[in-house]
Amino acid sequence: TFVSTIVNLQTTSYPTSHARLENPPDTPYFVNNKLIKSKTTQWIDVHDPATNFVVTRVPQSTSEELTAAVNAAETAFSDWKNTSIITRQQVAFKLVGLIRDNWDRLAASITLQQGKTFQDARGDVLRGLQVAEQACSIVNELSGQTLEVAKNMKTEMYREPLGVVAAICPFNFPAMIPLWSIPLTIVTGNTLILKPSERDPEAAIILAQLAAKAGAPPGVINVVHGTAPTVDFILDEPRIKAISFVGSDKAGKYIHQRASANGKRVQCNLGAKNHAALMPDANKSAALNAITGAAFGAAGQRCMALSVLVTVGETKDWLLELKDLAKQLKVSGGFDSKADLGPVISPQAKQRIEGLIQSAEDEGAEILLDGRNFQSVEFPNGNFVGPTIITNVKPGMKCYDQEIFGPVLVVVNVDNLDAAIELINKNKYGNGSAVFTTSGAVGNKFQKNIQTGQVGINVPIPVPLPMFSFTGNKGSFLGDLNFYGKTGIYFLTQYKTVTTHWRDEDTEVIDKAVNMPT
Ligand code: NAD
């Protein structure tokens, strides 16, 4: 069953087009720094979303394999937690270099399995790489506190790793989201069981190999595969102490509940409906270009995609210009260097998205630009949806209430800024919001009164760099410590306090202390 120890990824070839693969290799799992072929009898086909050709099969890991992964992680933890912080930091430094060296390879695997354009896939890698870079310096956050609390007595507070932790990842950022966990696991001295999405597992496997190459000892970073049975194993395995989940509301609520009931720490980043308020005083061309990119880039499959445009007052008259910009976008296979957006992840996703567009029409909204039934000449079997703009939308319509997760922008008109803020605050989600304006006063009012956790002022997708944390709130987050940044470190560590008393050598102790000191 053993496939290989880590290879020199840079010298092996990999697909960079949508051509059908002759003999697509199965995806191995990764335990103890080895790539291993699963003994499972259940395999899940992974398709290139541009063609629907099978590009690999991913195993539903067996319970023996899952247990072996946790055994490896548990065994590795006892040494890894005692490895000096400098050594762990060096592994993070080397990982940064290796991700840079293998950037295109990672991006190509994302384009092939996830569908986004190659340039956008490079951006997916970059946003994860930045977390790895930040992890090299964030070790400062691991230092504790000391206080002399009485004569000759001091209390020290340490931040200690938790043990084996797990990450359950979504399909839409196959490199960035595993990299929210891998570098921080390394520097904090934990060990990791990572489950990538069963729809695009390869980037995680590459990253695990790079971590091993960077010096992470066997068992520190492990990758297992599958769907709900793998997740249930992770939720119920008592040796796994904490779970980082990113994905849909349905899976996230279930995971939060079951893992919490099992006494685990849990952080869950969930769905979103991100609004942008477009003010009449905005820089029109800058705003419309930013809105186009944020709504349709990555085919709208970003948790911070702009999915609702709130036109304030006369800006509803700018929509024809927005439509013209959206129409110019090229929809094609992600390896097409001219593509602006690629396909959505699956035929089912395409069907669901097109169904929501239809529901908008049925409920009285207007389809200003219709991306349904998009036909690509080069890729006739791909899951393409063209950029779509739906106007005259009202809360209560399905296309407003549900996360569409496709290249679809719904537009709601309001009269003024207050009405825009009220609308956005009534939405159950709290991932991101933006305002386009040239007025500082408007920007301030928006910032102060809006309830989303990530706010952009003339910034359409305000995802914070990893000096900060990913701070979605309300229905977009469950837990209390966010991903990456300082709170990412806090999530992965627990306090230990040590109180020490060194008496003066000549102290004679005569009290038998049976009471609490008063
Ligand atoms: P998903 O919930 O379908 O899958 C996420 C993970 O959960 C996968 O690993 C999957 O195998 C597992 N899973 C799915 N259903 C499960 C179930 N019933 N029981 C147990 N495990 C299950 O999500 P997705 O479609 O891969 O990703 C898209 C969603 O993720 C969108 O809702 C998007 O908004 C959200 N997302 C949020 C953020 C954020 O930071 N807030 C970032 C990226 C994606």
Side-chain angles (χ1 to χ4, degrees), residues 22 29 32 49 51 79 126 129 144 153 169 201 232 243 245 257 260 297 328 350 360 381 462 495-496:
E22 283 293 316
Y29 66 103
N32 270 329
T51 59
D79 280 346
L126 175 64
L129 172 61
M153 182 179 277
C169 304
D232 284 348
I243 294 179
F245 169 82
Q257 210 168 26
S260 302
Q328 288 164 25
K350 175 178 157 78
N381 297 320
Y495 298 130
K496 180 186 276 175

Side-chain angles (χ1 to χ4, degrees), residues 17-318:
S17 81
H18 298 288
R20 188 195 280 275
L21 303 178
E22 283 293 316
N23 290 307
D26 289 338
T27 298
Y29 66 103
F30 190 82
V31 169
N32 270 329
N33 286 357
K34 286 183 181 134
L35 295 163
I36 307 170
K37 184 174 167 74
S38 174
K39 286 187 174 150
T40 190
T41 52
Q42 288 172 271
W43 293 87
I44 304 154
D45 286 342
V46 175
H47 299 93
D48 174 350
T51 59
N52 279 304
F53 293 150
V54 172
V55 293
T56 184
R57 294 189 313 164
V58 62
Q60 170 54 60
S61 296
T62 65
S63 54
E64 291 76 25
E65 290 163 358
L66 294 169
T67 302
V70 180
N71 291 346
E74 188 186 35
T75 306
F77 179 63
S78 53
D79 280 346
W80 187 234
K81 70 171 183 216
N82 292 320
T83 303
S84 78
I85 182 63
I86 294 293
T87 303
R88 299 201 306 256
Q89 191 185 27
Q90 283 303 321
V91 175
F93 271 124
K94 287 190 184 127
L95 178 61
V96 164
L98 287 166
I99 294 170
R100 284 188 177 279
D101 294 345
N102 289 278
W103 196 332
D104 283 357
R105 186 197 177 92
L106 279 158
S109 106
I110 294 170
T111 298
L112 187 68
Q113 298 192 346
Q114 197 275 353
K116 65 179 74 173
T117 66
F118 184 69
Q119 278 314 317
D120 201 39
R122 281 180 54 82
D124 184 331
V125 177
L126 175 64
R127 294 314 295 265
L129 172 61
Q130 289 166 336
V131 176
E133 288 172 340
Q134 178 70 2
C136 300
S137 68
I138 207 163
V139 291
N140 295 345
E141 290 302 323
L142 288 168
S143 54
Q145 294 172 10
T146 306
L147 186 64
E148 208 157 62
V149 289
K151 181 165 184 280
N152 292 337
M153 182 179 277
K154 66 175 189 298
T155 298
E156 292 155 313
M157 189 276 280
Y158 296 89
R159 279 188 185 281
E160 295 203 331
L162 304 176
V164 184
V165 299
I168 301 166
C169 304
F171 80 84
N172 65 328
F173 281 98
M176 177 183 84
I177 291 175
L179 283 169
W180 286 0
S181 289
I182 293 170
L184 293 190
T185 302
I186 289 172
V187 292
T188 51
N190 290 289
T191 58
L192 179 68
I193 306 290
L194 186 132
K195 193 202 87 64
S197 169
E198 66 279 11
R199 299 184 229 176
D200 45 23
E202 194 189 24
I205 288 288
I206 297 174
L207 290 167
Q209 291 175 79
L210 297 180
K213 218 171 168 190
V220 170
I221 304 294
N222 307 280
V223 180
V224 298
H225 297 296
T227 56
T230 304
V231 172
D232 284 348
F233 172 90
I234 290 171
L235 302 180
D236 293 343
E237 164 58 68
R239 292 176 294 169
I240 294 177
K241 303 297 176 202
I243 294 179
S244 300
F245 169 82
V246 182
S248 65
D249 296 358
K250 185 165 169 258
K253 284 179 186 163
Y254 166 74
I255 285 168
H256 186 260
Q257 210 168 26
R258 185 151 162 179
S260 302
N262 285 331
K264 299 184 198 306
R265 242 180 225 202
V266 199
Q267 53 179 188
C268 290
N269 270 7
L270 309 176
K273 199 82 181 173
N274 306 305
H275 295 57
L278 181 58
M279 300 301 292
D281 67 3
N283 176 328
K284 191 183 190 182
S285 62
L288 293 182
N289 276 301
I291 291 163
T292 306
F296 307 118
Q301 297 176 118
R302 295 177 179 139
C303 61
M304 285 290 277
L306 177 58
S307 43
V308 184
L309 178 63
V310 186
T311 47
V312 178
E314 71 215 46
T315 62
K316 62 178 180 298
D317 300 332
W318 301 359

Side-chain angles (χ1 to χ4, degrees), residues 359-377:
S359 77
E361 202 168 21
D362 298 345
E363 290 179 319
E366 193 188 322
I367 315 294
L368 182 67
L369 180 63
D370 193 347
R372 283 175 290 179
N373 306 314
F374 180 90
Q375 277 305 314
S376 163
V377 179

